[in-house]
Structures are given as structure tokens and as C-alpha cells.
Amino acid sequence: MAYSSTGFATIAASKRGNAPGIYAYKTTDAIADVNTSGYFNSLSSILEVGDLIYCVTSTGSTAVATLVYVLSNASGVVDVNDGTTLANTDSD
């Protein structure tokens, strides 16, 4: 699939200094698609190296939360890391 702007939101963006921006993104794409180089290219003017993206991906009835960060952003190509899945430890 492809990135969709309807699932993207800014949580916090640094107005001064070099603190990373924090964003949220929700999609029905699998995290394997989201963390592929080029997926966030349309945001290359916004995203900077080190920015965090809280991703909620859903393929079917299960949603998965993953925290990724921007590894590189050069010549309009954005690459994020594979991410860290936020595990659900609820025993219910």
C-alpha cells in the first residue's frame, strides 16, 4: 500500500533547538510496508533524522503499535528504522 495523509498527525514539533518531532500514524498497512525506505517520502519536507513516529498498523482484527524513528532523509527519500513493537502485556 502507500502512505495516506489522513492517518498522520503531529504530536509535538520543535520550534527551536534540535529536539526531535513526535508524530502519530495509523494505517491498515503492515508495519513491514511502513518501515520500508520511501514510504514517508511525501513528508520529506517535514521529517528530520531522529524524529519519532508512533505507528498503529492493522491487518485484520489486530492492531499493533510500533515506535519508529527517522534514520535518514536525503534528496526526498525518507527511511525509518524497523521499529520497536510496544507489547501488550494485558492478561485478559
Side-chain angles (χ1 to χ4, degrees), residues 24-67:
Y25 182 61
K26 185 174 183 180
T27 182
T28 56
D29 293 344
I31 191 61
D33 294 327
V34 174
N35 65 24
T36 299
S37 180
Y39 186 88
F40 289 109
N41 283 356
S42 62
L43 296 171
S44 65
S45 64
I46 296 170
L47 296 174
E48 295 183 8
V49 172
D51 284 352
L52 303 172
I53 307 171
Y54 170 74
C55 298
V56 176
T57 57
S58 175
T59 54
S61 62
T62 302
V64 177
T66 306
L67 187 62

Side-chain angles (χ1 to χ4, degrees), residues 64-88:
V64 177
T66 306
L67 187 62
V68 302
Y69 64 89
V70 178
L71 291 172
S72 64
N73 182 354
S75 301
V77 178
V78 177
D79 189 20
V80 298
N81 72 325
D82 289 344
T84 300
T85 301
L86 305 177
N88 178 359

